[in-house]
Amino acid sequence: MLVELYQYPQFNSAVPNRLPNGVNFCDMVGNVVRAERNRLSGKSFCSDKELEKFLSSPSPRAMWLDSFWWIFHERYQPNKEVQNKLFDRISQNYASLLLHEFKSHYEEALLKRLPSLLSKAVYTSFCCCFPQSWFNTHEFKSDICNTMSLWISGIYPCLQSYNSWDYSELDPERFRREKIILQRRLLKKREFSLFTSKRCISQMSIQNKKIHCLKSPGISSTTEKDSLAKKSLPDSSQTQNVTKEYHGQTLVFRKAAKQVKRISQAREYENMLPKQSYPACKSPELTSNFFNIYGKSPLIVHFLQNYASLQQHGKDVLIVRREKTKSIPESVLTYAEVIDLTLSNMKKRKENFHQLNRLHWNEWKYFDEYLKGLQENFLRDVKNVDQRALEKKKANHMFIQPSSFLEESFDKKRRGSHERETAFLSRTGKLLQEPRSFDISTSKMIQTLKKKGRPVLGLELKELFAQILIIASTSTDALSNVS
């Protein structure tokens, strides 16, 4: 079932080889006929019977099969001898198709569309004969289209003309898989939308109930409303029955036609398929090339050179025209892909920002807790120090009572000062009773001062007297020596 592993049978010079893996040719013809229909209207450029008759006729059938095997050899198992034989037979069948065979009302339209028909025919044959291989690539499809168009008309087709093909008919297996995947995605989206809508409706109903409870003044108003609703129920049921009957009559009279059903189904399929998005880059520049107005079909040229006796094989009238020769590679991102990438990048950056914000707040929280712990430890230490100081004070007060100690010291001071005063008064009295001795001592001190050459002042005498009184108060031995 893989095209790379298939072994080509020997070339049959009498009849074209059949399609591999037991694929029926008539089924392939049906695929091409259905692919030519318009998805919305269901019509094609000619009737289905005429198109089926044309493709099943001997010459187009032989061209189809030989073109299939020529491309198989060209891409997967190159063999120039077999390819030359196939090309020769294709040219003979094309010449016979133009000269002898097909006569129909749609002859001109069919011959104009022959390159496109053969391209679709070869593509659907590869897809159905080798379903495990992947042919939905730009390279493979453009190779088929270019080969068929160059052989028949001598010019290149429009770039990426295969984008308008109906792959639901040409590649049914791949389209079936993609359809299942799309249906699953749509079901998930619908389930999510239904879940969100139900959630919103439930929230709205809860809010309405709260508002209704706040507005209702009492039970009497609710009972009145219930009674009114019960009265209005029969009328509403009657109106519903009337509307149902009317709609039933309209449905009986209005039946959807087959064409309307086809169009609706086609629109559903189009809505399911992803919309085409163009590549997000500059389009390739137009190049100037020579274009032959009369055109030369390589198949006809080969036939005339080998099987006809004509000396001149037509004319060449060349003009210069600008055309697109380079197509945009598939690796270039489309606008839809760029939008998806930007949205995903924005989402990732948003998540990274939230994570950094969480880390930042967690670090600040840890730092605050650490500071609080330090502060609590410091306050605890201060409290312990204060408590120890208080305990020491309490212990001191327990051993010495301050009130008794103060009274005893105050009494001692009073007793000592009283005794000193009485002794001082008695000693001064004795000195006053002996004025001579006092005058003698003072006169001696004055004389000593005069010998030093200093005048005697009243203030100095007072100071001397005060010193004598102090000495007298301190000791009785000093007073006796002074006297």
Side-chain angles (χ1 to χ4, degrees):
M1 305 301 279
L2 286 170
V3 66
E4 293 84 1
L5 302 177
Y6 186 78
Q7 295 296 323
Y8 173 71
Q10 292 182 354
F11 176 74
N12 189 355
S13 58
V15 182
N17 292 328
R18 293 182 180 182
L19 293 172
N21 294 323
V23 175
N24 191 2
F25 180 79
C26 295
D27 295 338
M28 301 298 100
V29 172
N31 291 346
V32 176
V33 171
R34 288 190 297 273
E36 285 296 319
R37 295 174 187 167
N38 191 354
R39 292 179 184 177
L40 294 176
S41 62
K43 295 180 180 179
S44 61
F45 66 95
C46 72
S47 63
D48 294 346
K49 288 183 180 179
E50 288 289 333
L51 183 57
E52 187 176 353
K53 183 181 177 183
F54 171 74
L55 292 173
S56 299
S57 58
S59 293
R61 184 177 183 276
M63 289 177 68
W64 180 336
L65 294 173
D66 287 337
S67 300
F68 173 83
W69 289 115
W70 190 93
I71 290 170
F72 174 82
H73 282 293
E74 181 69 17
R75 291 187 63 84
Y76 303 106
Q77 293 180 14
N79 191 343
K80 291 296 179 183
E81 292 182 2
V82 175
Q83 285 179 274
N84 292 332
K85 292 177 182 178
L86 290 168
F87 185 79
D88 182 65
R89 191 159 60 188
I90 291 166
S91 66
Q92 292 180 29
N93 285 311
Y94 183 55
S96 65
L97 176 67
L98 293 176
L99 297 173
H100 306 291
E101 226 176 80
F102 191 71
K103 299 294 179 184
S104 172
H105 179 69
Y106 300 99
E107 182 179 0
E108 188 175 354
L110 287 167
L111 291 175
K112 282 183 179 180
R113 287 179 176 263
L114 183 59
S116 174
L117 290 170
L118 284 176
S119 299
K120 293 177 182 178
V122 173
Y123 179 77
T124 190
S125 299
F126 271 100
C127 292
C128 294
C129 292
F130 307 105
Q132 292 182 359
S133 298
W134 184 256
F135 301 106
N136 188 27
T137 60
H138 167 72
E139 184 185 0
F140 182 78
K141 289 185 284 189
S142 61
D143 193 9
I144 291 173
C145 294
N146 293 338
T147 302
M148 294 296 105
S149 184
L150 284 172
W151 279 359
I152 294 168
S153 61
I155 57 173
Y156 281 97
C158 295
L159 289 173
Q160 297 179 351
S161 59
Y162 49 81
N163 287 335
S164 59
W165 290 357
D166 187 3
Y167 291 99
S168 63
E169 301 294 340
L170 297 176
D171 193 359
E173 189 67 26
R174 181 179 64 83
F175 186 79
R176 197 177 295 115
R177 294 178 204 152
E178 292 179 354
K179 185 180 175 182
I180 291 165
I181 293 165
L182 284 170
Q183 283 177 352
R184 287 176 182 175
R185 289 178 182 174
L186 288 169
L187 283 171
K188 286 180 181 178
K189 287 182 180 178
R190 285 174 184 174
E191 285 174 0
F192 181 73
S193 61
L194 285 169
F195 174 73
T196 52
S197 61
K198 285 178 181 179
R199 192 174 179 182
C200 293
I201 290 163
S202 62
Q203 287 177 356
M204 290 289 288
S205 62
I206 290 163
Q207 289 178 357
N208 290 327
K209 284 178 182 179
K210 287 180 181 178
I211 293 163
H212 182 69
C213 292
L214 289 169
K215 284 183 178 180
S216 60
I219 299 165
S220 60
S221 61
T222 55
T223 53
E224 289 175 0
K225 287 178 183 177
D226 291 334
S227 62
L228 289 169
K230 286 177 182 177
K231 288 178 182 178
S232 63
L233 274 172
D235 298 330
S236 63
S237 63
Q238 287 176 2
T239 53
Q240 284 177 0
N241 291 327
V242 171
T243 52
K244 281 180 181 178
E245 289 175 359
Y246 177 72
H247 284 300
Q249 289 175 359
T250 54
L251 287 170
V252 168
F253 288 120
R254 293 181 184 178
K255 286 184 178 180
K258 292 181 179 180
Q259 190 174 357
V260 176
K261 289 180 180 179
R262 285 177 188 171
I263 291 167
S264 60
Q265 287 176 358
R267 283 176 179 169
E268 285 179 1
Y269 284 131
E270 283 187 351
N271 293 327
M272 285 172 65
L273 291 170
K275 292 182 180 179
Q276 185 181 1
S277 180
Y278 294 96
C281 66
K282 289 183 179 180
S283 60
E285 295 181 356
L286 297 173
T287 56
S288 56
N289 293 319
F290 288 107
F291 177 70
N292 192 356
I293 293 174
Y294 288 100
K296 277 190 175 181
S297 170
L299 296 174
I300 298 300
V301 170
H302 179 79
F303 177 78
L304 293 173
Q305 287 177 351
N306 294 311
Y307 300 100
S309 59
L310 293 175
Q311 295 180 356
Q312 294 181 356
H313 310 295
K315 292 182 179 180
D316 291 333
V317 180
L318 303 175
I319 61 169
V320 178
R321 70 168 184 176
R322 300 181 71 192
E323 59 184 359
K324 289 182 179 179
T325 56
K326 293 181 180 179
S327 61
I328 299 168
E330 290 184 344
S331 59
V332 177
L333 297 174
T334 60
Y335 287 103
E337 290 172 349
V338 169
I339 291 165
D340 291 336
L341 280 173
T342 50
L343 289 172
S344 63
N345 288 329
M346 287 171 66
K347 190 177 180 181
K348 286 179 182 176
R349 288 181 180 179
K350 197 173 183 180
E351 289 175 355
N352 292 331
F353 176 73
H354 284 307
Q355 287 180 359
L356 288 172
N357 200 6
R358 287 171 195 162
L359 286 171
H360 174 72
W361 283 111
N362 288 330
E363 286 176 357
W364 273 110
K365 189 177 179 182
Y366 175 76
F367 185 66
D368 289 337
E369 289 176 355
Y370 179 70
L371 287 178
K372 284 179 182 177
L374 290 175
Q375 191 175 5
E376 288 175 357
N377 291 329
F378 176 73
L379 293 171
R380 198 181 296 113
D381 292 337
V382 170
K383 191 175 180 182
N384 291 330
V385 171
D386 293 339
Q387 193 171 0
R388 287 171 189 170
L390 288 170
E391 288 176 356
K392 283 182 181 179
K393 285 182 181 179
K394 286 180 181 179
N396 291 330
H397 286 297
M398 289 287 290
F399 289 112
I400 300 167
Q401 293 183 358
S403 58
S404 62
F405 177 74
L406 289 171
E407 287 175 358
E408 288 176 358
S409 61
F410 182 70
D411 292 335
K412 287 178 181 178
K413 284 180 182 178
R414 285 186 66 187
R415 288 172 188 172
S417 60
H418 184 67
E419 288 174 357
R420 285 175 186 174
E421 286 176 359
T422 52
F424 178 72
L425 290 172
S426 62
R427 288 165 187 168
T428 51
K430 288 178 181 179
L431 288 170
L432 290 172
Q433 287 176 5
E434 296 176 355
R436 291 178 183 178
S437 61
F438 182 75
D439 293 335
I440 292 163
S441 62
T442 52
S443 63
K444 284 180 181 179
M445 290 181 73
I446 290 163
Q447 286 175 4
T448 55
L449 289 169
K450 283 179 179 180
K451 284 177 183 179
K452 291 179 182 181
R454 287 181 61 191
V456 179
L457 299 173
L459 291 169
E460 290 178 352
L461 290 170
K462 288 180 181 178
E463 288 175 0
L464 289 168
F465 183 70
Q467 289 176 4
I468 291 162
L469 291 174
I470 291 162
I471 292 164
S473 64
T474 54
S475 64
T476 53
D477 296 333
L479 284 170
S480 62
N481 291 327
V482 171
S483 62

